Amino acid sequence: MDYIDVEFLTSASSITECPQSDLPEFVLSGRSNVGKSSLINAMVNRKQLAYVGNTPGKTRLLNFFEVDHRCMFVDVPGYGFAHRSQTELIQFGKMMDDYFEQRENLKALILIVDYRHKPTKDDVTMIEYARGQQLPILVCATKKDKCKRSELSKLKKVISETLNVPSTSIIDFSSQTKEGVEELWSKLNEMIGM
């Protein structure tokens, strides 16, 4: 893979703290421990740009990464595992609503699910929310390398039916083997207009 110039710009706790930029933005969402940081690192050919933690739920802010001066990856808090107070959850909800509703250069939601597990209610809520915002959606099924080949079509069918997306539109992804990196970049470049 060619060298990709990438820079972590900032972490924002509200829409007012988001960077001023006219670059197209892709928001990456998924439950905690689904492999969001690993996917970002694989996409930009770096080992440790995005923090990969042993403790799920470390991302608590909107994290902005400028990629090759052509787009922005926005890593949002994972849902599911983390022990959070009701107050924190309400703050997160407002932060996410404001971001989705007010960020004009938001191009698509990249919903990241684990190939091995049925998508959660939170995944379904997120994809329905994005549909309600009329936001294009890309579904990436990570950790394909950890699945048995004989189970892949059955596992993909579960993801497809749970999220109500065609199985042919789901991107098979592995941050270990780099499968899916080129396909995802191809889809993002189409949306960027490159």
Side-chain angles (χ1 to χ4, degrees):
M1 181 189 267
D2 294 338
Y3 176 78
I4 292 179
D5 183 27
V6 62
E7 179 186 0
F8 169 71
L9 288 187
T10 190
S11 294
S13 63
S14 69
I15 191 78
T16 56
E17 294 177 5
C18 294
Q20 295 298 309
S21 166
D22 56 5
L23 290 175
E25 291 179 6
F26 299 99
V27 65
L28 294 100
S29 180
R31 70 174 177 78
S32 298
N33 209 28
V34 77
K36 275 191 299 148
S37 297
S38 297
L39 181 141
I40 292 171
N41 290 335
M43 288 294 290
V44 298
N45 203 20
R46 293 288 195 285
K47 289 225 184 313
Q48 293 182 319
L49 175 74
Y51 175 74
V52 180
N54 293 326
T55 310
K58 283 289 189 192
T59 305
R60 292 173 180 258
L61 304 166
L62 301 172
N63 294 314
F64 288 81
F65 299 89
E66 185 177 320
V67 183
D68 236 12
H69 310 292
R70 60 179 159 158
C71 70
M72 202 88 76
F73 287 168
V74 186
D75 185 16
V76 302
Y79 38 77
F81 276 99
H83 302 293
R84 303 242 164 94
S85 69
Q86 195 61 35
T87 308
E88 273 186 303
L89 291 173
I90 290 167
Q91 286 170 341
F92 283 155
K94 177 166 178 16
M95 176 177 74
M96 296 294 287
D97 282 345
D98 289 348
Y99 176 75
F100 274 96
E101 290 168 13
Q102 296 177 39
R103 200 69 175 169
E104 289 178 8
N105 34 350
L106 178 56
K107 288 286 182 199
L109 166 72
I110 302 171
L111 181 66
I112 302 164
V113 296
D114 187 325
Y115 223 120
R116 303 165 299 173
H117 303 294
K118 180 179 177 178
T120 65
K121 284 182 185 172
D122 289 325
D123 291 320
V124 173
T125 300
M126 179 55 81
I127 203 166
E128 287 176 353
Y129 181 77
R131 284 182 182 126
Q133 299 285 335
Q134 298 178 328
L135 190 64
I137 299 156
L138 297 168
V139 176
C140 274
T142 60
K143 308 188 185 184
K144 182 184 176 185
D145 54 290
K146 298 187 185 324
C147 302
K148 291 181 182 161
R149 184 172 274 172
S150 59
E151 295 177 339
L152 287 171
S153 63
K154 184 178 77 176
L155 293 170
K156 189 177 258 193
K157 188 168 185 264
V158 169
I159 295 169
S160 165
E161 289 176 353
T162 307
L163 297 177
N164 194 22
V165 295
S167 61
T168 51
S169 73
I170 297 168
I171 298 169
D172 293 354
F173 202 95
S174 166
S175 55
Q176 294 299 312
T177 67
K178 304 294 189 279
E179 180 179 356
V181 169
E182 279 190 29
E183 184 182 353
L184 183 52
W185 265 124
S186 172
K187 290 180 184 295
L188 297 184
N189 284 332
E190 277 175 37
M191 292 178 175
I192 295 167
M194 295 184 80

